[in-house]
Amino acid sequence: IVIFTDEGEEKWVPTAEANKLKIMHPSSIDGVEDMIKLGDLHEAGILHNLMMRYNDPKGCNIYTYTGSILVAVNPFQVLDIYDGKVMETYKNCKLGEMPPHIFAIADNAYYFMRRDKSNQAVIISGESGAGKTE
């Protein structure tokens, strides 16, 4: 059996091992903004989705939602996505109305802080050198 990897490499799999292969769910092929929409919500499906979004020819998508959780992939380059103009586009938008972005998370926390008059927390987690301070 011939398969193709995410990198486009052709691999041969012996017929005896074909039962170990799993067909990718159609929702996982092109990548989605919110991984809750994935038909394959497991490690391979998540990693494939993040790679597809990161390598999107229309633009590097470093942010992806999993519900209200924002997953960020360090692009190891400066991206022009943090200026005041971009921030303004996320003001007063609900999560999911705009593409995933840290500004959406911040605006959502600010909205609920004002509405509920209660503290909000945003947890930013990652390995050392992963780009958390950018």
Side-chain angles (χ1 to χ4, degrees):
I1 296 175
V2 179
I3 63 169
F4 292 92
T5 67
D6 288 331
E7 291 78 27
E9 296 176 35
E10 185 178 290
K11 300 280 184 177
W12 286 86
V13 177
T15 307
E17 295 183 26
N19 63 339
K20 296 179 183 177
L21 299 175
K22 183 178 175 189
I23 296 174
M24 185 181 291
H25 190 275
S27 67
S28 299
I29 294 172
D30 295 324
V32 295
E33 288 185 347
D34 189 340
M35 291 192 281
I36 295 298
K37 297 176 183 174
L38 288 176
D40 293 322
L41 194 55
H42 50 68
E43 183 179 7
I46 290 168
L47 292 174
H48 176 78
N49 187 67
L50 294 173
M51 184 191 73
M52 293 302 295
R53 290 186 46 73
Y54 185 84
N55 293 327
D56 187 345
K58 293 178 273 180
C60 179
N61 294 303
I62 65 167
Y63 294 120
T64 305
Y65 289 125
T66 301
S68 62
I69 298 169
L70 184 67
V71 178
V73 177
N74 189 341
F76 297 103
Q77 61 182 312
V78 176
L79 299 177
D80 188 27
I81 60 172
Y82 300 109
D83 61 20
K85 183 178 175 184
V86 175
M87 187 170 60
E88 284 296 319
T89 64
Y90 282 88
K91 273 191 177 176
N92 302 315
C93 289
K94 294 179 182 168
L95 288 182
E97 287 182 351
M98 297 282 293
H101 198 288
I102 190 64
F103 289 160
I105 298 295
D107 189 71
N108 191 50
Y110 182 70
Y111 169 80
F112 283 105
M113 179 181 70
R114 293 198 51 164
R115 188 192 78 177
D116 299 341
K117 296 182 179 19
S118 66
N119 295 333
Q120 299 292 302
V122 175
I123 299 170
I124 300 174
S125 177
E127 294 180 4
S128 178
K132 298 177 297 295
T133 57
E134 277 75 13

